[in-house]
Amino acid sequence: MITVSLISLGCAKNLVDSEIMVGHLHQAGMRVIPEAENADVVIVNTCSFIDSSKEESIGHILEVHQHRGMTKRRKEQKLIVAGCMAQRFSKDLTTSLHDEVDAFIGLDQVTKVAPIIEELFAKAREKNAAPVSFVAGRSTYIPDYDTPRFRLTPKHFAYVKIAEGCNHPCTFCIIPQIRGRHRSRTVASVVAEARQLVAEGVKELNLISQDTTFFGMDTWDERPNPRSPVNSARGTALTTLLRELNAIPGDFWIRLLYTHPAHWSDELIRTIAECPKVARYIDIPLQHISDRMLEKMQRETSGAYIRDLIGRIRTGIPGIAVRTTFIVGFPGETDADVDELCEFIREAKFDRLGVFRYSQEEGTRAARMEEQLSSKTKEARWHRTMSLQKEIASQVSQAAVGRTLRVLVEEPGVARGEADAPDIDGRVYVPRELAVGEFADVKITGFHDYDLLALPAGAKPDEWKIARPAQ
Ligand code: F3S
């Protein structure tokens, strides 16, 4: 029996692709094992978002290759590179990783991984032959509810890829060139998958795509007007999907990740407010607030639009936690732009915030812009914005003390609230006795930077011990 080990890098979208590959390997009778050193085949599912992700991907490939040849079995081990880096750079990598890699597969070959492995074993590679590339053109694949898939997340939460690809023209981003044009699944397909996951005991469905708010809009005849109250009348929209998911019986959260500010509507705000299973949390990458920067980044939004939208979301969905990300050090960014951004961060008091230093990515329009800034400037701006957010995060955590929250217990002593997405946001430290994978009502007793400390609601403090985070 062929044994395969898979190293999954990058974001949750790539993780779903890994899950699909593992599902197909199982279906083909192959055994998937955690230890790369004991496998007949190692697949590295790569990320190519920014330079550091590419370096990490290459590092893993070289490491796997270096360990080959130590035993007979491993001498014959095949190394396959999949994912975003393979999709985007397989031509160049065929030369630069000539000796290390046996094959490259693209995003549309995740369901064909088993026959590809069989083919590699059937045809002996000639000495000095180049790696075989199975990458075929622009990506168009989208999974369905019955696509074989083996979940790699804990039993209690799952990622649900509702669409793939991206139609936005952001000048800094390479992902549309890698993942292709936006294509949505049908509402029926996503609902069928969600029903199955809830039946398996999943307590949190994390909806993902490149732009979750664009869900269904690719099937409309006219260009959508995000402010229109009748958006969904023109066809499927995220609002239709959320209402159907909310109607599935059971106790679970629906979490919206990767929403684009340009496609929010009053109808979406109303829908979230009216669907109690949709977590009071939104992930809405804004990238900047200065009009000059938003224009250069081609974010299809303006500072005034963003300020108004955040206000409407907070008024329309009481208790919502807003998570965003910004980019500092974009070409041409001035001190005045950063002052405006800091002022906005102070004003908006985001519940969760991440800041990226701009990375000049080959193949993007921003990479060709003049006025690229030095790493020193980017670093200084990153420190300025992050230290500001650290103060705000303390205020946000302080305000939570004394409140009762519903949390989902992740592992012994560690839980997450509605305001915390898996692997991205903070944690709630709770007594180790609380059952893993279950919801619990807890009272916040203190905080530690971005994390909260809590006891079961109604408990006496001396009855329980909280597993505090390491200092
Ligand atoms: Fe994700 Fe990295 Fe690809 S962030 S979409 S795995 S480039």
mmCIF file of all heavy atoms in Angstrom, residues 41-61:
data_model
loop_
_atom_site.group_PDB
_atom_site.id
_atom_site.type_symbol
_atom_site.label_atom_id
_atom_site.label_comp_id
_atom_site.label_asym_id
_atom_site.label_seq_id
_atom_site.Cartn_x
_atom_site.Cartn_y
_atom_site.Cartn_z
ATOM 1 N N VAL A 41 5.576 8.824 -0.504
ATOM 2 C CA VAL A 41 5.383 10.091 -1.236
ATOM 3 C C VAL A 41 5.206 11.205 -0.210
ATOM 4 O O VAL A 41 4.493 11.025 0.782
ATOM 5 C CB VAL A 41 4.087 10.037 -2.096
ATOM 6 C CG1 VAL A 41 3.896 11.327 -2.886
ATOM 7 C CG2 VAL A 41 4.092 8.839 -3.020
ATOM 8 N N VAL A 42 5.851 12.358 -0.459
ATOM 9 C CA VAL A 42 5.586 13.533 0.374
ATOM 10 C C VAL A 42 5.027 14.614 -0.541
ATOM 11 O O VAL A 42 5.580 14.896 -1.614
ATOM 12 C CB VAL A 42 6.862 14.043 1.079
ATOM 13 C CG1 VAL A 42 6.533 15.263 1.940
ATOM 14 C CG2 VAL A 42 7.483 12.959 1.930
ATOM 15 N N ILE A 43 3.896 15.185 -0.108
ATOM 16 C CA ILE A 43 3.312 16.306 -0.861
ATOM 17 C C ILE A 43 3.506 17.558 -0.013
ATOM 18 O O ILE A 43 3.148 17.575 1.165
ATOM 19 C CB ILE A 43 1.803 16.091 -1.108
ATOM 20 C CG1 ILE A 43 1.554 14.794 -1.876
ATOM 21 C CG2 ILE A 43 1.206 17.283 -1.860
ATOM 22 C CD1 ILE A 43 0.079 14.429 -2.000
ATOM 23 N N VAL A 44 4.089 18.608 -0.593
ATOM 24 C CA VAL A 44 4.171 19.889 0.115
ATOM 25 C C VAL A 44 3.161 20.812 -0.562
ATOM 26 O O VAL A 44 3.307 21.145 -1.741
ATOM 27 C CB VAL A 44 5.605 20.492 0.061
ATOM 28 C CG1 VAL A 44 5.659 21.783 0.882
ATOM 29 C CG2 VAL A 44 6.642 19.491 0.579
ATOM 30 N N ASN A 45 2.102 21.176 0.179
ATOM 31 C CA ASN A 45 1.057 22.054 -0.380
ATOM 32 C C ASN A 45 1.445 23.483 -0.024
ATOM 33 O O ASN A 45 1.338 23.913 1.116
ATOM 34 C CB ASN A 45 -0.315 21.681 0.209
ATOM 35 C CG ASN A 45 -1.438 22.303 -0.592
ATOM 36 O OD1 ASN A 45 -1.230 22.789 -1.715
ATOM 37 N ND2 ASN A 45 -2.639 22.314 -0.035
ATOM 38 N N THR A 46 1.911 24.233 -1.004
ATOM 39 C CA THR A 46 2.635 25.483 -0.761
ATOM 40 C C THR A 46 1.770 26.736 -0.785
ATOM 41 O O THR A 46 0.667 26.757 -1.332
ATOM 42 C CB THR A 46 3.710 25.657 -1.852
ATOM 43 O OG1 THR A 46 3.027 25.641 -3.125
ATOM 44 C CG2 THR A 46 4.750 24.569 -1.808
ATOM 45 N N CYS A 47 2.333 27.807 -0.228
ATOM 46 C CA CYS A 47 1.730 29.147 -0.265
ATOM 47 C C CYS A 47 2.702 30.057 -1.015
ATOM 48 O O CYS A 47 3.909 29.863 -0.965
ATOM 49 C CB CYS A 47 1.535 29.636 1.158
ATOM 50 S SG CYS A 47 1.009 31.361 1.285
ATOM 51 N N SER A 48 2.145 31.076 -1.680
ATOM 52 C CA SER A 48 2.992 31.950 -2.480
ATOM 53 C C SER A 48 2.561 33.402 -2.313
ATOM 54 O O SER A 48 2.746 34.222 -3.207
ATOM 55 C CB SER A 48 2.844 31.505 -3.937
ATOM 56 O OG SER A 48 3.704 32.163 -4.758
ATOM 57 N N PHE A 49 1.944 33.720 -1.177
ATOM 58 C CA PHE A 49 1.317 35.031 -1.011
ATOM 59 C C PHE A 49 2.353 36.149 -1.006
ATOM 60 O O PHE A 49 2.246 37.122 -1.729
ATOM 61 C CB PHE A 49 0.517 35.018 0.304
ATOM 62 C CG PHE A 49 -0.306 36.250 0.519
ATOM 63 C CD1 PHE A 49 -0.988 36.857 -0.523
ATOM 64 C CD2 PHE A 49 -0.413 36.801 1.782
ATOM 65 C CE1 PHE A 49 -1.752 37.991 -0.310
ATOM 66 C CE2 PHE A 49 -1.176 37.938 1.998
ATOM 67 C CZ PHE A 49 -1.841 38.533 0.949
ATOM 68 N N ILE A 50 3.340 36.019 -0.137
ATOM 69 C CA ILE A 50 4.414 37.017 -0.088
ATOM 70 C C ILE A 50 5.751 36.288 -0.041
ATOM 71 O O ILE A 50 5.792 35.067 0.099
ATOM 72 C CB ILE A 50 4.275 37.972 1.133
ATOM 73 C CG1 ILE A 50 4.139 37.181 2.442
ATOM 74 C CG2 ILE A 50 3.120 38.925 0.973
ATOM 75 C CD1 ILE A 50 4.101 38.051 3.691
ATOM 76 N N ASP A 51 6.847 37.060 -0.139
ATOM 77 C CA ASP A 51 8.170 36.436 -0.201
ATOM 78 C C ASP A 51 8.413 35.456 0.935
ATOM 79 O O ASP A 51 8.942 34.364 0.721
ATOM 80 C CB ASP A 51 9.266 37.509 -0.166
ATOM 81 C CG ASP A 51 9.487 38.078 -1.553
ATOM 82 O OD1 ASP A 51 8.935 37.505 -2.523
ATOM 83 O OD2 ASP A 51 10.183 39.103 -1.666
ATOM 84 N N SER A 52 8.005 35.841 2.152
ATOM 85 C CA SER A 52 8.299 34.955 3.290
ATOM 86 C C SER A 52 7.531 33.639 3.158
ATOM 87 O O SER A 52 8.024 32.591 3.586
ATOM 88 C CB SER A 52 7.987 35.638 4.617
ATOM 89 O OG SER A 52 6.648 36.047 4.624
ATOM 90 N N SER A 53 6.324 33.659 2.544
ATOM 91 C CA SER A 53 5.592 32.390 2.368
ATOM 92 C C SER A 53 6.315 31.514 1.345
ATOM 93 O O SER A 53 6.371 30.283 1.497
ATOM 94 C CB SER A 53 4.152 32.598 1.886
ATOM 95 O OG SER A 53 3.707 33.892 1.980
ATOM 96 N N LYS A 54 6.841 32.153 0.285
ATOM 97 C CA LYS A 54 7.572 31.364 -0.720
ATOM 98 C C LYS A 54 8.815 30.750 -0.092
ATOM 99 O O LYS A 54 9.142 29.586 -0.323
ATOM 100 C CB LYS A 54 8.007 32.265 -1.882
ATOM 101 C CG LYS A 54 6.886 32.560 -2.849
ATOM 102 C CD LYS A 54 7.373 33.467 -3.964
ATOM 103 C CE LYS A 54 6.525 34.712 -4.022
ATOM 104 N NZ LYS A 54 7.074 35.838 -4.716
ATOM 105 N N GLU A 55 9.516 31.582 0.725
ATOM 106 C CA GLU A 55 10.735 31.061 1.376
ATOM 107 C C GLU A 55 10.405 29.880 2.277
ATOM 108 O O GLU A 55 11.120 28.885 2.317
ATOM 109 C CB GLU A 55 11.405 32.169 2.204
ATOM 110 C CG GLU A 55 12.194 33.137 1.341
ATOM 111 C CD GLU A 55 12.433 34.466 2.029
ATOM 112 O OE1 GLU A 55 12.303 34.537 3.271
ATOM 113 O OE2 GLU A 55 12.719 35.450 1.308
ATOM 114 N N GLU A 56 9.286 30.003 3.012
ATOM 115 C CA GLU A 56 8.892 28.904 3.907
ATOM 116 C C GLU A 56 8.597 27.639 3.080
ATOM 117 O O GLU A 56 9.022 26.534 3.436
ATOM 118 C CB GLU A 56 7.652 29.316 4.708
ATOM 119 C CG GLU A 56 7.319 28.323 5.806
ATOM 120 C CD GLU A 56 5.954 28.527 6.441
ATOM 121 O OE1 GLU A 56 5.235 29.477 6.059
ATOM 122 O OE2 GLU A 56 5.604 27.720 7.317
ATOM 123 N N SER A 57 7.907 27.824 1.953
ATOM 124 C CA SER A 57 7.569 26.681 1.098
ATOM 125 C C SER A 57 8.830 26.011 0.573
ATOM 126 O O SER A 57 8.985 24.781 0.644
ATOM 127 C CB SER A 57 6.699 27.129 -0.086
ATOM 128 O OG SER A 57 5.492 27.667 0.386
ATOM 129 N N ILE A 58 9.756 26.834 0.058
ATOM 130 C CA ILE A 58 11.014 26.279 -0.485
ATOM 131 C C ILE A 58 11.785 25.568 0.632
ATOM 132 O O ILE A 58 12.346 24.489 0.426
ATOM 133 C CB ILE A 58 11.897 27.398 -1.107
ATOM 134 C CG1 ILE A 58 11.130 28.151 -2.185
ATOM 135 C CG2 ILE A 58 13.254 26.855 -1.572
ATOM 136 C CD1 ILE A 58 11.401 27.806 -3.593
ATOM 137 N N GLY A 59 11.779 26.177 1.826
ATOM 138 C CA GLY A 59 12.478 25.574 2.972
ATOM 139 C C GLY A 59 11.960 24.168 3.245
ATOM 140 O O GLY A 59 12.742 23.237 3.452
ATOM 141 N N HIS A 60 10.646 23.993 3.229
ATOM 142 C CA HIS A 60 10.076 22.663 3.483
ATOM 143 C C HIS A 60 10.468 21.678 2.379
ATOM 144 O O HIS A 60 10.774 20.514 2.651
ATOM 145 C CB HIS A 60 8.546 22.741 3.584
ATOM 146 C CG HIS A 60 8.091 23.198 4.941
ATOM 147 N ND1 HIS A 60 7.993 22.349 6.006
ATOM 148 C CD2 HIS A 60 7.731 24.416 5.399
ATOM 149 C CE1 HIS A 60 7.588 23.018 7.069
ATOM 150 N NE2 HIS A 60 7.417 24.284 6.735
ATOM 151 N N ILE A 61 10.430 22.146 1.125
ATOM 152 C CA ILE A 61 10.776 21.256 0.000
ATOM 153 C C ILE A 61 12.229 20.782 0.148
ATOM 154 O O ILE A 61 12.528 19.587 0.033
ATOM 155 C CB ILE A 61 10.586 22.002 -1.349
ATOM 156 C CG1 ILE A 61 9.095 22.318 -1.547
ATOM 157 C CG2 ILE A 61 11.157 21.210 -2.515
ATOM 158 C CD1 ILE A 61 8.815 23.343 -2.630
#
